[in-house]
Amino acid sequence: MTNIDLGRPVQGDVVELILDDHRRFEALLRDLRDSSQDRDAVRRAFAALHVAHAEAEEKHVYPKLKRKNAVDDEEADHGVEEHAEGNEALLAVLELKGTDTQAFDDAVEELARLVNHHLTEEELTILNPAREEVGPQVRADLGVLFAEERNAQIDADCGRIENVRRIVAEARREGLLDDDEDDEDDD
């Protein structure tokens, strides 16, 4: 666990809660790039938030938006795949011993690339339709479920390296991660 404030929402419009976390991701990524920060504490905070946020979205948000026809299976499944890719890049950051090496900087750069891509895509293809297609009461009810799951995950220390390893291994077994990541670039 870490002393970095990850917020602890208990309610709100799910779209706004997700966007609040997106801004937290951006701030944490900036701190990961800043060598004057306690980068070990920042990576632990990022890990907790990333895992908790993704688990809450996958458990509650994506299924509900699919049921409400706000997003289709392809958009939700793509979000899950991007979470898996982010977790894999996060694991690479967590497994590095030091935070003052070129390897750490390179791993952070890859994590930032994947996470920033996902944030942009999710805001465009999932959150915009959620605003337009799902009523405020459903978004508020979903906000409570999202916040409860997110907070429970953080309380359970979901960002610890053993848990991230387990999540990445499970994603690999489910075929969410390509063994050869260059294949996507060749299409």
Side-chain angles (χ1 to χ4, degrees):
M1 298 293 284
T2 177
N3 292 330
I4 295 173
D5 181 17
L6 300 178
R8 194 162 179 88
V10 294
Q11 65 183 10
D13 182 316
V14 72
V15 172
E16 296 306 317
L17 296 177
I18 290 171
L19 289 171
D20 288 346
D21 275 356
H22 286 187
R23 302 302 77 87
R24 284 184 186 94
F25 286 129
E26 291 166 344
L28 290 167
L29 286 169
R30 270 193 307 278
D31 287 346
L32 274 175
R33 292 187 295 262
D34 182 346
S35 62
S36 71
Q37 294 289 324
D38 179 350
R39 292 162 110 186
D40 186 55
V42 174
R43 72 176 162 181
R44 286 184 279 119
F46 187 96
L49 183 61
H50 189 271
V51 171
H53 178 95
E55 294 288 321
E57 282 184 341
E58 291 175 22
K59 183 174 181 179
H60 296 292
V61 179
Y62 293 175
K64 177 65 105 177
L65 294 181
K66 284 174 25 176
R67 284 193 303 276
K68 292 290 187 179
N69 294 316
V71 299
D72 62 28
D73 287 342
E74 183 179 327
E75 290 161 333
D77 291 347
H78 187 66
V80 171
E81 289 169 9
E82 288 185 349
H83 288 162
E85 292 169 355
N87 284 328
E88 183 178 47
L90 172 61
L91 183 58
V93 170
L94 292 172
E95 287 183 329
L96 291 166
K97 299 291 183 235
T99 61
D100 60 349
T101 65
Q102 187 61 49
F104 183 83
D105 289 350
D106 292 346
V108 167
E109 184 176 353
E110 178 63 6
L111 176 64
R113 184 185 70 77
L114 289 167
V115 169
N116 286 325
H117 168 82
H118 174 69
L119 301 183
T120 299
E121 198 162 74
E122 184 173 76
E123 289 173 17
L124 291 170
T125 66
I126 294 178
L127 299 186
N128 279 338
R131 280 187 192 101
E132 297 162 7
E133 305 293 331
V134 179
Q137 187 58 55
V138 172
R139 290 194 317 266
D141 293 345
L142 197 49
V144 170
L145 294 172
F146 172 82
E148 285 174 353
E149 181 67 26
R150 175 195 182 277
N151 295 339
Q153 290 282 334
I154 290 171
D155 291 346
D157 199 15
C158 65
R160 68 190 181 287
I161 194 167
E162 299 82 13
N163 192 50
V164 177
R165 281 188 188 122
R166 180 193 60 75
I167 291 168
V168 169
E170 185 177 311
R172 208 173 279 300
R173 280 191 303 277
E174 292 174 2
L176 295 173
L177 295 169
D178 294 330
D179 288 329
D180 184 8
E181 294 175 23
D182 294 333
D183 288 351
E184 200 171 305
D185 297 333
D186 295 339
D187 290 342

